[in-house]
Amino acid sequence: MLSFAFSVLFVIFFMLTLGLRYWLASRHVRHVMRHRDEVPAEFADKIPLAAHRKAADYTVAKTRFGLIHAIWSGLVLIGFTLLGGLQALSTALLHVTGPGMAHQIGLIVAYGVIAGLLDLPFTYWFQFVLEQRFGFNKMTLKLWLADTVKGTLLSAVIGLPLLWVVLALMERTGALWWVYAWLVFSGFQLLMMVLYPTVIAPMFNKFTPLSDDSLKSRIEGLMARVGFASKGLFVMDGSKRSSHGNAYFSGFGANKRIVFFDTLLERLAPPEIEAVLAHELGHFKLKHIVKRIVVAFALSLVFLAVLGWLKNQVWFYTGLGVLPLLGQNNDAMALLLFMLVLPVFTFPFAPLTSITSRKHEFEADAFAASHSDARDLVSALVKMYEDNASTLTPDPLHSAFYDSHPPASIRIRHLHQAGALSGKGTAGMEPA
Ligand SMILES: [Zn+2]
């Protein structure tokens, strides 16, 4: 009875999520197409009609691709759960490994391999058909394959020991296992923040210290003004994969580094680069990054507590198409089911994250306007919108639901106001 009720609840949320995605995507496509033939007035003198049309076509292609991908992922999810895919996989593995840790880890690895292969055509299509058509792809097939192999090996080397630790904690530490698992998981996340910029990212890209002296002293001036210490300024060869440009921070504590994509440095003038960086420094100085980490850790504690309860409920398994093994350990299955179905139940809450994120963007823009020049930020933003073919006319509801950044026109209007207030005119940053 409970099992059936849970199946029904899952199907309701599943349909709600897909329906919501479909509705938002259709609205977005219609809205963008309706505004395809006219550059919005405030951008009329800055962005040519051809670029505006390209942005519309790119947005529509990406939105349609995203929807088809979501439908495919939904079918795969139903196949693994209600249609018995995980059950069959577990039974087949049990014959090979017998019960125990090998079966547990085997189940998650087998799922990972199958799900990864089922997703591969989409990754390929996105890079070599969609991005290619709009001139953004700079990857060769060889590089793509090397990335895929490297990424898979890396997640095995890092992920398998972590998985083993979590499963051992689930099995041996009693009712409060999820507290220990959370401590291990959070420690691991912090470790990755140190390892990512120094060890992992350099496996995929080349990082060279920024060599342009005048740009360097300009940036160092800005960092001194806002009181920011960093281990270094680096340029990343982003152009070997994509012509999209960006800038970001990584690391924390004494390990902080600022990374510019070579594609960004090529397109923006030094004052614009400074304004973009001032925006990023704003995120740091206003503690947005720390806040984001604290929220993520708190949420993962809540989710683990929920899993701690769910893993002892038979209906949680049977409601999702799995018969739990009697008198045996079902931890890996519980973990897998939880990770698979959680997004179905959390998707309707996505706008909450977007709202916070957009609030932070406005704050970082205001920070940039007061520590750099609002006009430079605006002209950098306009270039980045154009170069990345980001639409200037998103559907307002689609944008409110998904977008981590405010729509271009609203963002730039705020910057003009901030610029007028500080008497420095308007400045801005990253669209992606
Ligand atoms: Zn930002």
Side-chain angles (χ1 to χ4, degrees):
M1 190 57 212
L2 265 180
S3 158
F4 179 69
F6 185 54
S7 296
V8 171
L9 188 71
F10 172 58
V11 171
I12 289 174
F13 267 85
F14 177 83
M15 299 303 287
L16 185 72
T17 291
L18 263 192
L20 202 55
R21 274 185 187 278
Y22 181 80
W23 179 64
L24 289 169
S26 333
R27 284 184 58 106
H28 193 43
V29 166
R30 271 201 308 275
H31 192 93
V32 168
M33 288 311 284
R34 211 180 302 137
H35 294 87
R36 183 179 181 275
D37 293 317
E38 198 185 345
V39 183
E42 62 255 64
F43 297 99
D45 55 339
K46 300 182 190 104
I47 290 183
L49 183 60
H52 178 68
R53 285 188 172 141
K54 176 184 168 184
D57 297 341
Y58 181 55
T59 305
V60 167
K62 266 204 313 192
T63 307
R64 289 197 174 128
F65 173 85
L67 188 61
I68 294 167
H69 189 200
I71 292 170
W72 172 246
S73 305
L75 292 176
V76 170
L77 172 64
I78 295 296
F80 271 121
T81 55
L82 297 183
L83 298 181
L86 284 180
Q87 172 72 59
L89 199 56
S90 170
T91 311
L93 267 172
L94 203 56
H95 289 302
V96 183
T97 59
M101 193 55 105
H103 176 243
Q104 303 265 315
I105 289 185
L107 179 65
I108 293 182
V109 170
Y111 164 79
V113 171
I114 296 170
L117 288 174
L118 290 174
D119 207 50
L120 212 53
F122 284 88
T123 329
Y124 176 87
W125 180 279
F126 181 76
Q127 193 66 27
F128 292 102
V129 179
L130 206 157
E131 292 283 289
Q132 185 81 39
R133 192 189 335 148
F134 291 93
F136 292 127
N137 176 42
K138 297 284 175 261
M139 258 192 185
T140 58
L141 185 61
K142 200 176 142 202
L143 178 62
W144 183 76
L145 285 172
D147 276 2
T148 306
V149 170
K150 245 192 271 178
T152 309
L153 286 178
L154 198 61
S155 41
V157 168
I158 298 173
L160 287 179
L162 180 71
L163 182 61
W164 184 82
V165 171
V166 169
L167 288 171
L169 287 172
M170 288 176 92
E171 190 180 338
R172 288 172 211 170
T173 57
L176 285 180
W177 69 267
W178 51 275
V179 179
Y180 304 113
W182 179 73
L183 288 173
V184 168
F185 187 68
S186 303
F188 168 79
Q189 300 270 84
L190 292 175
L191 180 69
M192 289 306 290
M193 281 178 219
V194 179
L195 291 185
Y196 182 81
T198 46
V199 181
I200 298 174
M203 291 179 180
F204 294 88
N205 281 97
K206 212 189 297 159
F207 292 82
T208 39
L210 181 66
S211 56
D212 180 334
D213 282 334
S214 77
L215 181 60
K216 214 161 124 184
S217 64
R218 179 182 267 277
I219 290 171
E220 279 161 359
L222 171 72
M223 294 201 298
R225 261 191 337 271
V226 303
F228 180 87
S230 154
K231 260 278 170 75
L233 302 167
F234 292 88
V235 182
M236 190 189 101
D237 58 345
S239 58
K240 88 176 187 190
R241 293 196 176 78
S242 161
S243 58
H244 290 300
N246 219 334
Y248 71 89
F249 277 140
S250 61
F252 66 122
N255 265 314
K256 287 188 297 286
R257 36 171 82 186
I258 294 168
V259 176
F260 296 102
F261 282 38
D262 53 358
T263 37
L264 186 83
L265 292 188
E266 227 165 75
R267 271 287 285 164
L268 300 187
E272 294 170 334
I273 295 171
E274 181 196 304
V276 164
L277 186 59
H279 169 102
E280 290 299 319
L281 290 172
H283 281 310
F284 182 81
K285 278 284 158 186
L286 301 167
K287 307 237 178 306
H288 296 160
I289 298 167
V290 175
K291 281 181 201 160
R292 239 175 272 169
I293 294 172
V294 169
V295 169
F297 281 10
L299 276 180
S300 69
L301 183 63
V302 172
F303 288 141
L304 277 166
V306 173
L307 175 58
W309 173 68
L310 282 177
K311 106 178 171 85
N312 300 319
Q313 316 301 318
V314 174
W315 54 261
F316 174 60
Y317 302 87
T318 50
L320 293 171
V322 172
L323 279 176
L325 299 169
L326 275 179
Q328 303 228 3
N329 190 320
N330 292 287
D331 294 345
M333 186 61 95
L335 201 59
L336 204 47
L337 286 175
F338 188 70
M339 288 190 303
L340 284 181
V341 303
L342 185 64
V344 171
F345 290 99
T346 54
F347 181 76
F349 303 100
L352 295 179
T353 331
S354 310
I355 289 172
T356 325
S357 173
R358 286 194 300 266
K359 183 171 160 277
H360 287 172
E361 292 310 322
F362 282 128
E363 290 172 7
D365 277 352
F367 183 92
S370 62
H371 291 90
S372 181
D373 192 314
R375 272 166 309 190
D376 293 327
L377 189 48
V378 168
S379 68
L381 273 176
V382 169
K383 278 188 190 172
M384 290 164 87
Y385 277 109
E386 183 178 345
D387 288 357
N388 289 319
S390 307
T391 180
L392 300 170
T393 57
D395 171 56
L397 261 184
H398 183 275
S399 172
F401 198 93
Y402 289 110
D403 290 353
S404 59
H405 288 63
S409 53
I410 299 179
R411 198 170 168 194
I412 287 174
R413 210 172 304 143
H414 275 239
L415 272 168
H416 281 300
Q417 284 161 2
L421 287 179
S422 70
K424 280 183 185 163
T426 350
M429 153 70 204
E430 96 275 277

